[in-house]
Amino acid sequence: MMFRKRIFLFIMLLLMTVMLGGCDNTTQQPPVPLQNENPQQQAAPIEGGTVTPSSVGQDTMKMTVYYSTKDALNLVGEQYVVPKNTHPAQTAMELLVAGTKNPELISVVPAGTKLRNISVKEHIAYVDFSDQLVKNNKGGSASEILLVASIVNTLTEFHDIKKVQILVEGKKIDTISGHMDIGEPLSRSEKIIKK
């Protein structure tokens, strides 16, 4: 008699477990990201290149990112107001890689390029890109100069960065497309910026 009760109780518990498990659909929900990972959606470009006092508060900071003019002769700085964070140079590079939405400017970073890492040591920024920086670069000497200058000038906007070493897949390379030596850290070039 006791054995039958135990079997009956075991079967009832098993049935309840199966029935309750079939009603639980919360495990089918996709994960929800905690924050927006696209820096351009977080960053607000500043119209006219000026920052009004109300647009930059205690929780925001401004930064300048350089893109090419349509005639591929110069760079123009586009200013953004972004949420304050502990890695502003990385944010600036992410904005550069994402490209401009200003129809008067052209993005210079080849499609598919990803920012792998960035660090600063003794006033030199070491910025590491994926190999698409080289593989997808279809331009000539002008586009290579604009690409390198946009990276260097964007990073040297920060006071603690004086030079920039461009890396690809974690390694120094001599050139991106054969026209410019990037084997050593490079300094800012003011001449290429359109005044």
Side-chain angles (χ1 to χ4, degrees):
M1 185 74 175
M2 188 69 157
F3 181 71
R4 285 185 180 172
K5 279 187 177 179
R6 285 186 179 171
I7 289 180
F8 177 75
L9 188 59
F10 175 75
I11 291 173
M12 290 303 290
L13 284 172
L14 184 63
L15 285 174
M16 287 177 61
T17 302
V18 170
M19 289 173 61
L20 290 174
C23 294
D24 183 19
N25 62 1
T26 57
T27 58
Q28 302 299 322
Q29 299 297 321
V32 177
L34 295 176
Q35 65 182 29
N36 188 344
E37 295 179 1
N38 184 344
Q40 273 210 320
Q41 290 179 355
Q42 293 179 349
I46 300 170
E47 299 295 330
T50 59
V51 181
T52 60
S54 61
S55 66
V56 179
Q58 291 182 341
D59 298 331
T60 58
M61 59 186 171
K62 71 170 186 172
M63 60 181 53
T64 303
V65 178
Y66 289 91
Y67 302 102
S68 173
T69 55
K70 281 185 170 180
D71 58 8
L73 294 175
N74 296 98
L75 295 177
V76 172
E78 187 170 32
Q79 292 189 319
Y80 291 87
V81 173
V82 299
K84 272 190 181 169
N85 59 55
T86 58
H87 48 275
Q90 178 181 333
T91 301
M93 283 295 98
E94 289 170 348
L95 287 167
L96 180 67
V97 169
T100 181
K101 292 186 177 177
N102 183 341
E104 300 301 316
L105 301 175
I106 299 171
S107 299
V108 292
V109 177
T113 301
K114 292 185 172 66
L115 177 67
R116 289 172 33 101
N117 190 24
I118 184 167
S119 61
V120 179
K121 294 175 188 167
E122 298 177 359
H123 303 291
I124 300 174
Y126 296 85
V127 57
D128 185 15
F129 295 99
S130 64
D131 62 357
Q132 284 83 13
L133 187 77
V134 175
K135 290 179 179 175
N136 295 347
N137 185 8
K138 297 174 182 163
S141 60
S143 69
E144 185 177 7
I145 291 169
L146 289 167
L147 170 60
V148 171
S150 67
I151 295 167
V152 173
N153 284 3
T154 297
L155 287 173
T156 53
E157 281 285 318
F158 297 98
H159 296 295
D160 59 336
I161 298 175
K162 304 299 180 199
K163 291 186 174 185
V164 176
Q165 176 67 62
I166 297 172
L167 305 172
V168 173
E169 299 291 335
K171 298 175 182 171
K172 284 185 182 180
I173 60 171
D174 294 333
T175 184
I176 293 174
S177 61
H179 305 98
M180 190 170 181
D181 184 2
I182 63 166
E184 297 297 327
L186 301 169
S187 300
R188 183 180 184 83
S189 172
E190 289 288 332
K191 292 179 183 175
I192 201 166
I193 299 171
K194 187 174 184 178
K195 302 294 179 189

